[in-house]
């Protein structure tokens, strides 16, 4: 069956060699008339590279007929590629398109969790949705959210879980944190692994990476920050979290600097990966064991973040059970 042509966005880029870094997406239309694929790039691209990109297989993004129309309207009405300054109408359009993805991702994330953690996480849904809508309120942010939703299932669930754990921790945090900072932290948590979109998906599932594969993997915080630098609506604090989420208080780790917020999200990132089965490890831990393992790993995690994990997810659950 012959494929219909791809819909490049913005179409003017075809055959052009942009001077500056540009952001664009590619959607593919199937013979049934569905848009099934979405790429996101911001590198200057030659025609040869573009053709190579079109041949590269990616996981499809399935959208309903109604959403397809939204996407087409969106593509038609949004010409800049860098996409900041959308009208209210365009913003509501992008919100409508991503709403079902957000809801599905949140439910799938909840279902993947140990039962005792679910009731603590459930109340974070509205807060996380608000941050996701904020991100999608710019053209580039909208494209990135779509790209995240059509990436590896684990990456989507993991991103939502780290955001949910971070928001639950901030809710219990006794320190004064402004609502603006709270939002920036949850945004950073939701997007912390966005740089993984540029990493080969086969590496996600490999338990033992080769040295050169580790080198590639360790670039994801920096790559993520670089991608998001193009979004005007991502707060500087969120960018610092994305760059620094693998930094450690002992000065080890990799990526950007270990800011207070990056350490908090970094601890939730590690906690999240112990609570659920990952593509590279099937063994899961309950909250108490996960906390204990992290605590044993001296200097790796922030003491205050460990205290919050113990207070909310370990003792909080025991209190509920009593
Ligand atoms: Fe990461
Ligand atoms: Fe992560």
């Amino acid at each position: 069956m012959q494929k219909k042509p791809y819909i490049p966005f913005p179409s003017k880029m075809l055959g052009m060699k942009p001077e500056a870094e540009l952001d664009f997406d590619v959607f593919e239309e199937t013979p049934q008339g569905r848009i099934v694929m979405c790429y996101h790039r911001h590198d200057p691209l030659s025609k040869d590279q573009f053709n190579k990109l079109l041949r590269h297989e990616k996981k499809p993004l399935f959208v309903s007929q109604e959403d397809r129309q939204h996407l087409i309207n969106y593509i038609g009405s949004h010409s800049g590629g860098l996409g900041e300054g959308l009208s209210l109408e365009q913003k509501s359009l992008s919100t409508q398109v991503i709403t079902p993805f957000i809801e599905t991702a949140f439910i799938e994330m909840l279902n993947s969790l140990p039962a005792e953690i679910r009731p603590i996480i459930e109340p974070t849904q509205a807060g996380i949705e608000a941050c996701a809508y904020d991100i999608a309120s710019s053209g580039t942010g909208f494209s990135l959210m779509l790209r995240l939703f059509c990436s590896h299932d684990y990456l989507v669930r993991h991103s939502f879980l780290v955001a949910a754990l971070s928001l639950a921790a901030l809710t219990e945090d006794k320190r004064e944190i402004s609502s603006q900072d709270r939002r920036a932290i949850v945004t950073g948590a939701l997007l912390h692994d966005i740089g993984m979109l540029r990493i080969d998906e086969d590496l996600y599932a490999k338990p033992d990476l080769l040295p050169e594969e580790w080198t590639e993997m360790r670039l994801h915080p920096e790559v993520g920050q670089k991608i998001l630098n193009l979004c005007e609506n991502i707060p500087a604090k969120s960018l610092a979290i994305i760059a620094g989420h693998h930094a450690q208080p002992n000065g080890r780790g990799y990526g950007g600097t270990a800011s207070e917020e990056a350490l908090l999200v970094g601890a939730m990132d590690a906690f999240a990966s112990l609570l659920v089965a990952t593509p590279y490890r099937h063994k899961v831990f309950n909250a108490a064991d996960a906390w204990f393992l992290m605590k044993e790993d001296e200097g790796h995690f922030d003491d205050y973040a460990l205290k919050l994990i113990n207070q909310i997810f370990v003792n909080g659950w025991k209190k509920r059970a009593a």
Side-chain angles (χ1 to χ4, degrees), residues 158 192-193 269:
H158 172 72
H192 77 282
D193 273 340
D269 182 26

Side-chain angles (χ1 to χ4, degrees), residues 183-189 191 228 234-243:
R183 219 154 172 156
I185 295 169
V186 179
T187 300
L191 296 173
L228 289 167
I234 306 295
K237 217 162 233 177
S238 314
L239 293 179
I241 289 170
I242 289 148

Side-chain angles (χ1 to χ4, degrees), residues 21-41:
E21 284 204 331
L22 282 179
D23 215 15
F24 78 105
D25 295 317
V26 180
F27 298 96
E28 183 195 358
E29 198 169 5
T30 66
Q32 293 79 31
R34 283 198 301 182
I35 293 176
V36 292
M37 211 174 280
C38 169
Y39 293 109
H40 183 89
R41 300 240 347 185

Side-chain angles (χ1 to χ4, degrees), residues 89-196:
E89 198 189 334
Q90 287 167 327
K91 280 183 185 174
S92 78
L93 203 56
S94 67
T95 302
Q96 284 173 50
V97 172
I98 67 161
T99 298
F101 290 108
I102 296 175
E103 286 172 355
T104 309
F106 197 89
I107 291 167
E108 283 179 357
M109 177 274 283
L110 272 187
N111 289 341
S112 72
L113 281 175
E116 73 268 19
I117 298 286
R118 266 180 242 160
I120 307 173
I121 291 301
E122 255 168 347
T124 62
Q125 182 165 358
I128 292 171
E129 281 183 3
C131 288
Y133 293 138
D134 269 0
I135 298 164
S137 67
S138 82
T140 305
F142 169 75
S143 307
L144 278 173
M145 288 306 286
L146 273 185
R147 185 64 191 87
L148 176 66
F149 291 126
C150 67
S151 69
H152 200 288
D153 288 345
Y154 172 72
L155 183 60
V156 184
R157 288 198 308 270
H158 172 72
S159 301
F160 274 78
L161 179 54
V162 176
L165 293 169
S166 303
L167 182 51
L170 290 171
T171 310
E172 285 284 319
D173 198 333
K174 297 286 175 271
R175 296 173 299 185
E176 289 260 308
I177 302 170
S178 68
S179 58
Q180 210 179 2
D181 281 354
R182 194 175 295 244
R183 219 154 172 156
I185 295 169
V186 179
T187 300
L190 193 56
L191 296 173
H192 77 282
D193 273 340
I194 202 84
M196 295 289 272

